[in-house]
Amino acid sequence: MKNILLLAISCAAILSSCTQQKGINDQSTANGVFLRGTKITNDNFKGTAYLKMLMDADSLNPTTVGHVTFEPSARTKWHVHPGGQILLVMDGVGYYQEKGQTKKILRKGDVIKCPANVPHWHGASADSSFVQIAITNRHLGETLWLQEVTDEEYKN
Ligand code: MN
């Protein structure tokens, strides 16, 4: 009887841990530091990506800080930041491309400055997820979203 009880407790513990690992929610961490946040549902992104806002803009700091986790092949649309943006690469392998330039491969520890008013996109590589912190200056206006990054542009 004691053995059966121990077995039942062990099975319950194993089932419980499996369920926790599969579940993706606000409390999952993307890289062991920040929370993954919630799935992005707007159409400015293609594929699956998660956003955790770390800081909202205010009168003293007209800047937002967002932590974004892209699953493989997920990416933004082409877009423009009137006040520019800084990207800190936290994990994985990703891409960054400015209009008219070749695509750059980004790895953990890379820092990218997106110049003001230059169309660009960023996202994960095809084989790896990609985690970035985006620091976006809002004092000159909101992000302007443009067309989708085609599969041909993505692969080039
Ligand atoms: Mn950007």
Side-chain angles (χ1 to χ4, degrees):
M1 187 64 194
K2 202 174 184 182
N3 285 344
I4 290 169
L5 188 63
L6 280 174
L7 187 66
I9 290 168
S10 303
C11 286
I14 289 165
L15 283 171
S16 163
S17 70
C18 286
T19 308
Q20 279 171 6
Q21 280 173 4
K22 276 183 195 163
I24 292 173
N25 57 44
D26 285 12
Q27 302 308 312
S28 303
T29 58
N31 55 19
V33 181
F34 297 105
L35 299 181
R36 187 200 310 258
T38 52
K39 195 168 174 176
I40 296 171
T41 55
N42 66 57
D43 71 350
N44 299 326
F45 289 70
K46 185 174 186 173
T48 304
Y50 297 85
L51 170 67
K52 176 66 184 174
M53 282 308 294
L54 302 179
M55 195 65 70
D56 291 323
D58 60 26
S59 58
L60 187 62
N61 292 294
T63 302
T64 53
V65 182
H67 181 276
V68 185
T69 304
F70 298 85
E71 290 193 347
S73 296
R75 66 260 201 183
T76 66
K77 281 184 170 176
W78 287 97
H79 60 280
V80 165
H81 307 292
Q85 184 181 56
I86 295 160
L87 301 175
L88 310 180
V89 181
M90 304 299 290
D91 209 356
V93 182
Y95 300 143
Y96 170 78
Q97 185 178 25
E98 293 177 2
K99 203 80 181 173
Q101 304 290 317
T102 55
K103 186 175 76 183
K104 284 183 184 165
I105 297 175
L106 305 182
R107 292 189 173 81
K108 186 175 181 173
D110 286 342
V111 177
I112 288 285
K113 187 187 272 186
C114 315
N117 292 316
V118 172
H120 68 277
W121 64 272
H122 25 116
S125 60
D127 303 328
S128 171
S129 60
F130 173 68
V131 184
Q132 66 169 36
I133 289 178
I135 302 167
T136 309
N137 301 315
R138 307 272 174 178
H139 61 300
L140 296 176
E142 292 302 313
T143 301
L144 177 66
W145 295 97
L146 307 170
Q147 71 277 17
E148 265 192 21
V149 176
T150 64
D151 288 340
E152 195 181 356
E153 288 172 317
Y154 180 77
K155 285 173 191 160
N156 272 345

